[in-house]
Amino acid sequence: MKKLRIEDKLYLIGYNVDHEYNHLGISDPEMCKTCEKKQCTYVCPASVYTWDEKEQKININYDACVECGTCRIACDYITWKYPRGGFGVAYKFG
Amino acid sequence: MRKKDFDVIVVGAGPAGLAAGYVLAKAGVDVIIIERGKFPGSKNVMGGIFYREPMDDLIPDFYKEAPLERHIIEQRMWLMDDTSHFSFGIKTQKHNVEPYNCFSVFRAHFDKWFAKKVVEAGALLINETVVTEPIVEDGKVVGVRTDRPQGDLYADVVIAADGVQSFLAKSLGLRKKITPEKVAVGVKEIIGLSEDQINDRFGVKDASEGVTIEITGPFLKGMEGMAWIYTNKTSVSIGIGVIVKDMIEHRKNPNDLLEELKAHPSIAPLIEGGDTKEYLAHLIPEGGYYSVPKMYTDGFMVAGDAAMLVDSVHREGSNLAVESGKLAARTYLEARQAGDFSERMLSRYQEKIEESFVLKDLKHYRNLPELLEEKRYLLTDYPQFIIDAMIELYTVDGTPKPEKFRKLKEELKSRFGYVNLAKDIFTIWRKMR
Ligand SMILES: Cc1cc2nc3c(=O)[nH]c(=O)nc-3n(C[C@H](O)[C@H](O)[C@H](O)COP(=O)(O)OP(=O)(O)OC[C@H]3O[C@@H](n4cnc5c(N)ncnc54)[C@H](O)[C@@H]3O)c2cc1C
Ligand code: SF4
Ligand code: SF4
């Protein structure tokens, strides 16, 4: 089977994106500058977090989040809420 | 009189919440189930093998009607390294006769169907609504706050079946924070293949018969985890779950791991030519027995993953969820008879769980998570030895067999030492007892 990129996989998922409400955040972005592992950038199955070297901050592409909650367990500075009712990921198969 | 909109509020329409809702609705209780997804199952993920028994007890012969994929007649275990796998397992015609043992399922289909049955039984189901917090008065849970305008709802009892994250149980102090070593992240793909391709590759007769493969071993490079392949009618579910702590320490990305798994020479031919239909991820509570919290307080009970009820050794969770939901509902019925929804009364729920297979099973394996955390080599070195030994025994190279066995024995001694080996066997035996 051809190797699929994560971007291609995310296209297969049904989302109802909430353009008015971001359910993910970082409570103290200053911490990210000294965070050694930056585990948020690799433990997330949907690659939602990326490190912006120029701006020295984490970018969050919350649209892609599948709400697994891994990032929340992996880093205490991540503030995590459920998307509003009905929004977010909606699997066809599950 | 205190405000009351319903007798019972159930939070979450997964197997735990739906089982609770079903029992209550059947008994004529005024029950509402609140689900944050577009429909029940739309946010739920499972490997997913569903065991019949606890559900059959709730809705007899459900399997004749529910949207299921294949009934499982063969279960394989693979010890896998980078180039090889050693396989064992069981295929039996005893699992090929009704009412069957277990089935492959898609949660988005199954939960939706289950919810329909619950609504038919008389429960009210509200989708697209997040419960944001419990409403507590005088130390008693009396309702929930939702993200709808004027969304407060009151009831005698709230059953939290809100899954692994359970913000509800946590906010009431019943649950501790989940730490990265107590939870795994599971990622999965559904890969479409034709019925014939699946039947041929997995050696079954037709699209009703199914096979499961559970994979562990040095392939995981010492991370604690499990991979799997399950056959559906016209697709296979392939996935891998790894403890979050290990993922962090090994600097691994779950999707990369899944791709490595798919590319493995033992696995690639099974999925060759397939097209990915969906990619999914979810947490699995793996803390086992010692992480199960107190499951009740005044006016409140916790069921399913919200109470960490997962038996990761046997990849069971949905059936434990159904059973606990059922027992929570039955406890409510007793409490209603007594007109008492206090903590003392609801403590009977925990007693029921303890007497059921749910906690007995978890208790049986109570020391395993700790053992595996301590002795990682049990997941790497021993399986590696078995794989190497099998390759050695099956390689015809002019060495006489007695010689091969002697070499293997020496190898075993030098790699582990007989004393360590005996100790490990004893420890495993003791901890599994
Ligand atoms: C990758 C993976 C593989 C697995 N494989 C298997 C398997 O093969 N067999 C097996 O038996 N088990 C398996 N499990 C475990 C099984 O999926 C769970 O144990 C089971 O789903 C638990 O059911 P539940 O009802 O407690 O929780 P869930 O199924 O998680 O349901 C919780 C529900 O509550 C809703 N919800 C949560 N919070 C709120 C809120 N605040 N307001 C409103 N709604 C809310 C959610 O949307 C969801 O519908 C697997 C799990 C994973 C992640
Ligand atoms: S969000 Fe957490 S893990 Fe990510 S960089 Fe910041 S501190 Fe580190
Ligand atoms: S919840 Fe899961 S998918 Fe969403 S950002 Fe966190 S790790 Fe990524």
Side-chain angles (χ1 to χ4, degrees):
Chain A
M1 243 181 107
K2 199 172 114 266
K3 202 169 161 167
L4 278 181
R5 293 176 316 147
I6 184 67
E7 294 83 353
D8 302 329
K9 291 191 189 185
L10 297 175
Y11 269 117
L12 301 169
I13 306 174
Y15 292 103
N16 184 12
V17 177
D18 189 344
H19 295 287
E20 279 148 43
Y21 175 81
N22 180 353
H23 68 289
L24 303 169
I26 298 171
S27 60
D28 185 357
E30 279 302 304
M31 292 310 295
C32 301
K33 292 182 183 159
T34 54
C35 174
E36 195 225 327
K37 283 206 173 94
K38 297 193 173 43
Q39 61 269 26
C40 63
T41 60
Y42 59 85
V43 293
C44 168
S47 296
V48 165
Y49 301 88
T50 44
W51 175 244
D52 186 332
E53 188 59 45
K54 207 167 117 246
E55 301 279 324
Q56 288 288 299
K57 72 175 185 58
I58 293 282
N59 287 327
I60 308 178
N61 176 24
Y62 76 95
D63 291 5
C65 173
V66 294
E67 298 155 41
C68 67
T70 310
C71 55
R72 183 174 83 84
I73 308 299
C75 172
D76 286 338
Y77 297 104
I78 287 175
T79 55
W80 198 100
K81 293 202 199 72
Y82 286 126
R84 291 191 295 171
F87 287 102
V89 73
Y91 290 125
K92 288 188 297 287
F93 295 97
Chain B
M1 258 248 339
R2 193 166 60 71
K3 253 179 85 178
K4 180 172 133 175
D5 304 298
F6 297 92
D7 294 330
V8 180
I9 297 168
V10 176
V11 184
L18 291 170
Y22 191 78
V23 171
L24 295 172
K26 279 274 171 193
V29 173
D30 193 13
V31 53
I32 183 173
I33 305 175
I34 305 172
E35 166 58 45
R36 70 186 187 89
K38 254 166 103 160
F39 59 86
S42 63
K43 295 195 183 283
N44 298 346
V45 180
M46 187 161 110
I49 299 300
F50 192 80
Y51 288 85
R52 179 190 49 81
E53 210 273 334
M55 183 74 184
D56 217 16
D57 172 45
L58 199 66
I59 306 179
D61 290 346
F62 79 95
Y63 68 92
K64 291 181 178 160
E65 188 194 324
L68 305 167
E69 292 294 312
R70 296 176 183 236
H71 66 265
I72 305 304
I73 63 166
E74 181 178 1
Q75 316 210 23
R76 300 178 194 160
M77 255 326 282
W78 283 8
L79 300 178
M80 193 162 95
D81 67 10
D82 287 340
T83 57
S84 319
H85 77 266
F86 169 64
S87 176
F88 52 102
I90 175 79
K91 178 172 187 171
T92 171
Q93 291 307 313
K94 288 187 174 163
H95 290 165
N96 206 8
V97 287
E98 292 192 42
Y100 305 120
N101 180 45
C102 59
F103 308 87
S104 48
V105 300
F106 292 129
R107 287 289 299 276
H109 301 172
F110 184 81
D111 291 10
K112 200 177 188 174
W113 169 84
F114 192 2
K116 197 178 103 234
K117 300 298 284 184
V118 177
V119 170
E120 280 167 14
L124 179 65
L125 169 71
I126 301 289
N127 292 315
E128 309 202 353
T129 307
V130 180
V131 168
T132 51
E133 59 185 332
I135 303 173
V136 182
E137 281 171 14
D138 305 326
K140 285 194 190 72
V141 177
V142 294
V144 296
R145 184 146 295 151
T146 71
D147 69 347
R148 296 214 177 187
Q150 280 106 44
D152 290 4
L153 291 171
Y154 292 84
D156 289 327
V157 167
V158 173
I159 298 178
D162 51 343
V164 54
Q165 318 251 21
S166 195
F167 291 106
L168 277 185
K170 183 143 182 278
S171 73
L172 290 167
L174 291 179
R175 242 178 76 164
K176 287 185 295 234
K177 191 175 145 202
I178 310 179
T179 50
E181 68 275 11
K182 297 272 185 274
V183 65
V185 48
V187 282
K188 164 179 152 183
E189 251 177 66
I190 293 160
I191 300 177
L193 289 163
S194 77
E195 216 175 281
D196 289 343
Q197 277 172 324
I198 295 171
N199 299 344
D200 291 347
R201 291 176 191 185
F202 290 86
V204 291
K205 185 172 88 261
D206 59 44
S208 71
E209 299 180 350
V211 175
T212 65
I213 306 176
E214 240 73 41
I215 304 161
T216 182
F219 168 75
L220 281 157
K221 307 280 178 302
M223 293 188 292
E224 193 184 330
M226 184 77 90
W228 66 88
I229 306 174
Y230 301 150
T231 55
N232 306 309
K233 281 202 178 96
T234 55
S235 65
V236 298
S237 296
I238 176 164
I240 183 162
V242 172
I243 294 288
V244 172
K245 181 170 177 240
D246 289 2
M247 209 73 126
I248 296 172
E249 279 176 4
H250 285 73
R251 295 182 189 263
K252 276 288 186 186
N253 170 262
N255 178 54
D256 291 345
L257 267 180
L258 184 57
E259 286 300 322
E260 283 167 32
L261 179 74
K262 284 165 64 188
H264 190 281
S266 293
I267 288 167
L270 294 175
I271 55 172
E272 184 53 44
D275 56 326
T276 300
K277 305 230 174 270
E278 190 158 53
Y279 169 73
L280 317 93
H282 203 278
L283 288 182
I284 318 171
E286 303 248 357
Y289 184 76
Y290 293 118
S291 70
V292 175
K294 182 176 153 211
M295 292 170 64
Y296 59 92
T297 179
D298 273 315
F300 187 81
M301 289 179 274
V302 195
D305 275 14
M308 309 288 268
L309 302 178
V310 165
D311 173 354
S312 49
V313 182
H314 296 280
R315 48 124 156 84
E316 294 177 30
S318 54
N319 51 334
L320 280 63
V322 168
E323 189 68 18
S324 62
K326 226 160 47 182
L327 295 177
R330 288 188 191 146
T331 309
Y332 166 80
L333 295 177
E334 288 174 16
R336 179 175 156 114
Q337 279 247 301
D340 173 7
F341 306 107
S342 70
E343 170 164 275
R344 197 183 51 80
M345 188 70 200
L346 299 184
S347 69
R348 292 201 191 166
Y349 170 47
Q350 194 117 14
E351 286 165 19
K352 286 190 173 63
I353 291 276
E354 266 161 34
E355 284 157 17
S356 74
F357 78 91
V358 175
L359 235 68
K360 285 191 177 144
D361 282 3
L362 292 186
K363 194 168 182 182
H364 184 74
Y365 294 117
R366 66 189 176 282
N367 294 320
L368 210 60
E370 181 208 6
L371 178 72
L372 291 179
E373 218 178 299
E374 241 172 67
K375 302 192 181 223
R376 264 324 141 79
Y377 60 90
L378 293 175
L379 296 170
T380 50
D381 298 6
Y382 286 129
Q384 188 67 63
F385 179 79
I386 294 170
I387 294 168
D388 293 348
M390 294 313 280
I391 295 172
E392 179 64 28
L393 287 177
Y394 282 100
T395 306
V396 174
D397 54 6
T399 320
K401 294 293 183 269
E403 176 82 356
K404 287 206 180 221
F405 276 108
R406 197 184 50 75
K407 264 169 65 186
L408 280 177
K409 254 168 78 182
E410 266 171 23
E411 183 71 39
L412 193 65
K413 190 173 162 194
S414 72
R415 273 207 223 175
F416 308 106
Y418 285 150
V419 178
N420 288 335
L421 189 67
K423 266 198 215 150
D424 282 337
I425 291 173
F426 179 70
T427 317
I428 296 171
W429 172 75
R430 204 164 42 98
K431 301 231 171 179
M432 301 275 275
R433 210 156 46 113

